[in-house]
Amino acid sequence: MAAPGCHVGAGTRREAAAGGGETGEGEEAEAEEEAEEEAEEEGEEPGAGALRSVFPRDPALFADAFPVERRYRLCGRVLRIAQHHGPRLGLAASVWEAALALCRYLEQQRFDFRGRTVIELGAGTGIVGILAALLGGDVTITDRPAALEQIRENVQLNFAAAGARPRVRALVWGQDEGSFPRGYGVVLGSDIVYHPPSFPPLLGTLRHLCGPRSLALLCAKMRGGDGGARRFFRQMLPPYFRVRLLWREPEEEIEIYRLTCKGGGGPIDEGGHL
């Protein structure tokens, strides 16, 4: 998208051509002279003032990321979440609807994370893991290395410096899970089941992290028909996990699934109290 100053300059030239050109050319020359005078006052090179009259001064328009901070009221708390939109983070920059759906489900079910080890996968902004930590969990929030700075910022926004905070660690599925312990109490993931090539490494990561008494809660938007998320939940998981649909939002096609390892004793409680 062209810079706003370019549109203004182009529009002025068009008007000058339509009206004979004298008035428009005079105004442009005057503007260039003023820009050059400002440049001389600021110590810029000759010609820089003319360029500055065309291109906007605001450096944020050319920034790699556009930070936005929003607040979400969940479980009686206000969460402050920064989102650095731009090419560096891509999809990881946003709070997606599936993440909010999982947070609302935890709120509705009054989940109690106290005394439980919790890990969030593909966290992006970290909003789900941050909520779990505020509800008493011993939480580790994970994603690819590029997203960790944003997650750490959001942890700082929501936890006092002296208080216990979630840990933030890199976890690339299919590569890093061996450096994490087995048997987390709760494994959380929202909108991480959408890219079929990532399904096998994600499955391997889940199998490593989940023990006999672990509970995994995965929330996903059902994209790609039967070859997308549905295939992961209905075909790839069942050989290793008991899979149960807990909640569905038909309008947004968002579903929340509960996973427990086959052959294990299952989580402590079938309900919200883990």
Side-chain angles (χ1 to χ4, degrees), residues 189-228:
S190 63
D191 230 346
I192 60 175
V193 183
Y194 61 88
H195 185 49
S198 73
F199 293 173
L202 174 57
L203 176 59
T205 299
L206 288 169
R207 292 184 65 192
H208 174 85
L209 298 175
C210 292
R213 294 175 67 78
S214 299
L215 168 70
L217 295 174
L218 302 184
C219 184
K221 188 175 180 67
M222 296 294 112
R223 303 179 179 91
D226 292 336

Side-chain angles (χ1 to χ4, degrees), residues 255-273:
E255 297 178 354
I256 298 176
Y257 287 87
R258 175 185 187 272
L259 279 58
T260 54
C261 291
K262 285 190 171 179
I268 294 173
D269 195 314
E270 290 287 328
H273 297 285

